[in-house]
């Protein structure tokens, strides 16, 4: 039975609050009672990101790249969603440069590097990491890989250039997939 929109928003806000707090909750599902059903109700990935209050840069980037329609499709997709603070860690001017119309292709490549086809839960990621000797390769929609490892109980994702970002809130269920909140931005190699 799908979680009503208000409950989803509350769960997501709790996840984001935890993500910006002290402890990482990589293995704790935020909406554990959600079961996938044929009637995909509730907010999709884009609507969910719009409602958090900490994904404004990501939403602006998705809009500038004309990806809102794609990420609103049935999917399912798994999106590693950097917070505004994560985008702010990039070198000065990076975000502004990516948002310029002439850099739309580059921006699109960066964004699809944060998306994976299918619904991949934190439990799926942890099982893959354990099955592959402590490191799992994830193929993104950009066609480039990310690497997932565990650091204690936290899932850490490393991009092609070796930049690592922690999953600070996992398993945020949406009507068309899953969001894992990250404290870093992945840049294609």
């Amino acid at each position: 039975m799908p979680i009503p929109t208000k409950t989803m928003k509350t769960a997501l806000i709790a996840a984001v609050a935890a993500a910006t707090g002290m402890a990482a909750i990589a293995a704790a599902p935020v909406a554990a009672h959600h079961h996938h059903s044929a009637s995909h109700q509730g907010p999709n990935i884009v609507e969910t990101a719009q409602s958090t209050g900490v994904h404004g840069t990501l939403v602006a980037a998705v809009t500038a790249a004309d990806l809102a329609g794609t990420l609103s499709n049935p999917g399912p997709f798994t999106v590693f969603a950097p917070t505004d603070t994560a985008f702010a860690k990039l070198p000065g001017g990076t975000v502004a440069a990516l948002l310029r119309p002439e850099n739309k292709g580059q921006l699109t490549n960066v964004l699809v590097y944060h998306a994976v086809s299918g619904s991949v839960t934190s439990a799926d990621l942890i099982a893959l990491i354990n099955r592959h000797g402590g490191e799992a390769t994830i193929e993104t929609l950009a066609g480039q890989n990310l690497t997932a490892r565990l650091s204690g109980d936290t899932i850490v994702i490393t991009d092609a250039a070796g930049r690592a970002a922690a999953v600070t809130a996992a398993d945020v269920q949406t009507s068309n997939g899953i969001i894992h909140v990250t404290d870093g931005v992945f840049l294609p190699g």
Side-chain angles (χ1 to χ4, degrees), residues 20-47:
T20 56
M22 311 180 307
I25 56 166
V30 173
H33 297 90
H34 179 72
H35 299 288
H36 280 279
S37 69
S39 64
H40 298 286
Q41 295 176 353
N44 64 36
I45 288 170
V46 175
E47 293 163 339

Side-chain angles (χ1 to χ4, degrees), residues 113-149:
Y113 193 41
H114 290 77
V116 176
S117 182
S119 289
V120 182
T121 66
S122 61
D124 294 335
L125 276 173
I126 291 168
L128 247 133
I129 291 166
N130 290 333
R131 205 167 38 246
H132 290 94
E135 185 175 289
T137 300
I138 307 163
E139 184 176 346
T140 67
L141 295 180
Q144 293 191 17
N145 294 333
L146 296 169
T147 304
R149 295 180 186 86

Side-chain angles (χ1 to χ4, degrees), residues 5 8-9 12 40-53 55 59 62 68 71-72 174-176 179:
T5 302
M8 177 60 79
K9 265 188 162 172
L12 183 59
H40 298 286
Q41 295 176 353
N44 64 36
I45 288 170
V46 175
E47 293 163 339
T48 301
Q50 288 170 331
S51 72
T52 68
H55 288 102
V59 171
V62 165
L71 292 175
S72 297
T174 72
S175 65
N176 65 337
I179 295 173

Side-chain angles (χ1 to χ4, degrees), residues 147-159:
T147 304
R149 295 180 186 86
L150 283 175
S151 176
D153 290 337
T154 303
I155 297 170
V156 176
I157 309 289
T158 305
D159 68 13

